[in-house]
Amino acid sequence: MEMGPISEWVAGISEFLAVCVALFLPYYHKRKEEQRKVRNLKTAIKKLGAEAMVGDQDAIKALNIYLTVSFLSDTNADIEALVIQGRELLDQVKKLPAKTDGTYDEAMTKAKLLLNQIS
């Protein structure tokens, strides 16, 4: 039984590894890109949500626009879940009563809880 020269074995193994890398690399890059998008969305929702809770009207508008654009360009379930959580936070912030109202502390606690749940 003849196995052939070692150079043919090395060439065959190299070709096999090159095909494996060519098949795996696009999946790897796509996954990293999706993870980056999810991370950026979390960061934006947390930052804009915190600013909106303080009463910044520009942050409320920016968060609304950011969530709308993210929803329209939704590519995976993680982004969809974050958009839903962000919408709940935005709705809670919009419903915040005046600071002199007796229910303000309770509403603010609920908004902070929603902000902390974004993961």
Side-chain angles (χ1 to χ4, degrees):
M1 179 163 131
E2 183 138 345
M3 303 229 354
I6 197 153
S7 61
E8 287 182 14
W9 278 91
V10 170
I13 291 172
S14 298
E15 287 177 18
F16 174 74
L17 291 175
V19 168
C20 289
V21 168
L23 292 174
F24 176 71
L25 206 55
Y27 171 76
Y28 176 77
H29 285 300
K30 182 180 178 188
R31 182 161 165 76
K32 286 294 183 185
E33 180 69 19
E34 287 177 359
Q35 288 175 343
R36 185 188 62 78
K37 285 180 182 179
V38 169
R39 184 196 68 223
N40 290 347
L41 182 58
K42 279 183 200 177
T43 304
I45 290 173
K46 286 183 178 184
K47 181 180 180 292
L48 291 171
E51 291 175 6
M53 286 172 48
V54 176
D56 187 0
Q57 294 299 316
D58 290 336
I60 292 173
K61 290 177 187 176
L63 181 58
N64 188 27
I65 292 169
Y66 202 83
L67 290 172
T68 302
V69 169
S70 296
F71 175 75
L72 293 175
S73 66
D74 179 18
T75 57
N76 64 26
D78 294 334
I79 291 177
E80 185 178 338
L82 280 173
V83 168
I84 290 170
Q85 288 177 331
R87 282 280 169 212
E88 290 175 0
L89 174 64
L90 184 61
D91 291 342
Q92 182 64 33
V93 168
K94 286 181 177 179
K95 291 190 300 187
L96 282 176
K99 290 184 179 182
T100 56
D101 193 347
T103 60
Y104 176 77
D105 290 334
E106 181 182 332
M108 184 58 91
T109 303
K110 187 173 180 182
K112 287 179 183 177
L113 180 65
L114 288 171
L115 184 64
N116 292 335
Q117 286 178 350
I118 295 176
S119 56

